[in-house]
Amino acid sequence: MTDATASGAAPERRHTSLMTADKGTRRRNAAEARFRAYGLAAIAVGLAALVILLVSILSQGLSSFRQAYVTLDVPLTAETLDPGGNRDPADIASVSTFGYSSIIRDAVLNTFRNAGIEIEGLSEDEARGIISPEASAQIRDRVLADPELIGQTVEIEVLANSWIDGYFKGRVTDRTAELNSNVSPAQIQLAQAMQDAGILNVHFNWAFITAPDASDNRPEAAGLGVAIIGSLYMMLIVLCLALPIGVAASIYLEEFAPQNWFTDVIEVNISNLAAVPSIVYGILGLAIFINFAGLPQSAPIVGGLVLTLMTLPTIIIATRASLKAVPPSIRDAALGIGASKMQSVFHHVLPLAMPGILTGTIIGLAQALGETAPLLLIGMVAFVRDYPAAPPDGFFDPASALPVQVYNWTQRADPAFVERASGAIIVLLVFLLIMNTLAIVLRRRFERRW
């Protein structure tokens, strides 16, 4: 025993204050500051990655919305386009695009010669080569739409080929043209001279949004028209099937189903289905809807059914969470004034859960819109040139989809298709942005507070 203890003196007490941080408090404050710094760093990294991704996509894809066009004075000679001279639509339609090639060749040569353009070392074939092979089809479609043009000289704006278009977008330079067998320096000089003379112009390309896909040799004519319609058809099928089925299943499981082992098995399987890889749904669709049911490949009906199966678990989980978030007092109050169980659910609980249901549905549709793997397995990767008909017949016509179109274009060799793929990604992102914005607006519109 010490002297202080032996004498019975009280031990010395340390005086602390709430205004003074002790060692433990400083340690906790430092840990909290580090956690905040980690959180801010994670947000900064995520935003930086998003900015880099958007800049990369926009820098490569925005140019796809602009296209080089050449304005030609084309003599539509009756001897070539209407040999019979009777303006019979069948006879005019019998003239293929090859029959228009000589007309376009002469029109190109006359156009730049009349403008006084002379390029040393430029052959006639090279001069004709700056025009897209799609030009013949463009002029043919114009004549078929208005046969009275035959015998006249009309001013028509036709596509320049992808390499000339790439020159005005920075993909092709004079130096790379010397090493490229698809374009020559003389053609580059001719294109520049034609732009200076006002014959060649680069402006907004509506055909990129409305035109169908094109062959590997005509990237300048490739468009998203069929893919956009196919995606819209599939989203319409998913909405009409997944929303009522998913909401009905959620209401039953959450409000009416007895709590036993059977409903527990259903709930576990729904949660597991939400985590199944999308390509598994594609294999299921191939086996059931195509091989067993005999539905046509590459049709929106098959894609819509596959995406419906994939979207259902997401909608069910979101709907059940929304129903569970409604306070039990709402149900008790409705039952207390004499409402039946069904009336309390459909008249009181469901309207209050509607914002969450709509949000979950739109998020599920947005996820389905960007899926590629299941659509590849059911044949939507096929080259489709014709537009599908109006619903419901169009649901069974061949079509493509936006993510599949991106996949197709990235597999092609011409650099212009990479530009087109980035442009298609921009269109897909715009669709997703609109759908997510719609989800926010609907949530705010129908939201009720209690």
Side-chain angles (χ1 to χ4, degrees), residues 219-260:
E220 64 280 350
L224 294 171
V226 174
I228 291 176
I229 294 176
S231 292
L232 290 177
Y233 281 2
M234 286 191 295
M235 291 303 102
L236 182 61
I237 294 171
V238 174
L239 181 63
C240 293
L241 294 179
L243 180 59
I245 295 175
V247 172
S250 302
I251 292 175
Y252 175 77
L253 290 174
E254 192 64 32
E255 302 291 341
F256 297 98
Q259 297 299 317
N260 52 36

Side-chain angles (χ1 to χ4, degrees), residues 63-267:
S63 57
S64 62
F65 294 91
R66 298 170 61 250
Q67 186 69 38
Y69 291 88
V70 178
T71 303
L72 300 177
D73 292 327
V74 182
L76 303 176
T77 57
E79 293 79 7
T80 303
L81 305 182
D82 186 20
N86 51 13
R87 297 297 188 269
D88 184 3
D91 292 342
I92 297 175
S94 66
V95 181
S96 66
T97 54
F98 293 102
Y100 289 79
S101 300
S102 60
I103 294 177
I104 295 175
R105 182 182 64 250
D106 296 339
V108 172
L109 298 177
N110 292 333
T111 297
F112 78 82
R113 285 172 179 170
N114 293 338
I117 300 174
E118 294 184 4
I119 305 298
E120 184 178 355
L122 178 70
S123 66
E124 292 186 357
D125 289 339
E126 287 180 323
R128 166 64 182 86
I130 70 170
I131 303 299
S132 168
E134 188 71 14
S136 299
Q138 287 181 267
I139 299 176
R140 183 175 183 271
D141 293 340
R142 179 86 173 266
V143 171
L144 292 178
D146 185 8
E148 296 301 322
L149 295 176
I150 296 177
Q152 304 178 27
T153 298
V154 297
E155 184 179 274
I156 299 179
E157 195 175 56
V158 297
L159 290 165
N161 71 33
S162 63
W163 299 99
I164 298 300
D165 179 67
Y167 168 72
F168 293 102
K169 296 176 180 178
R171 292 197 316 269
V172 179
T173 63
D174 293 330
R175 181 173 179 81
T176 58
E178 296 176 356
L179 307 174
N180 195 329
S181 60
N182 297 292
V183 62
S184 66
Q187 288 178 311
I188 296 295
Q189 296 176 26
L190 174 61
Q192 185 63 60
M194 293 176 74
Q195 185 188 42
D196 296 339
I199 302 172
L200 189 150
N201 297 285
V202 180
H203 55 75
F204 189 82
N205 182 22
W206 283 107
F208 177 66
I209 301 175
T210 60
D213 194 10
S215 66
D216 292 357
N217 298 325
R218 304 179 182 184
E220 64 280 350
L224 294 171
V226 174
I228 291 176
I229 294 176
S231 292
L232 290 177
Y233 281 2
M234 286 191 295
M235 291 303 102
L236 182 61
I237 294 171
V238 174
L239 181 63
C240 293
L241 294 179
L243 180 59
I245 295 175
V247 172
S250 302
I251 292 175
Y252 175 77
L253 290 174
E254 192 64 32
E255 302 291 341
F256 297 98
Q259 297 299 317
N260 52 36
W261 66 269
F262 183 71
T263 55
D264 290 341
V265 170
I266 293 176
E267 293 178 4

Side-chain angles (χ1 to χ4, degrees), residues 37 40 82 140 195 346 407 446:
L40 291 175
D82 186 20
R140 183 175 183 271
Q195 185 188 42
F346 286 94
Y407 172 82
F446 293 101

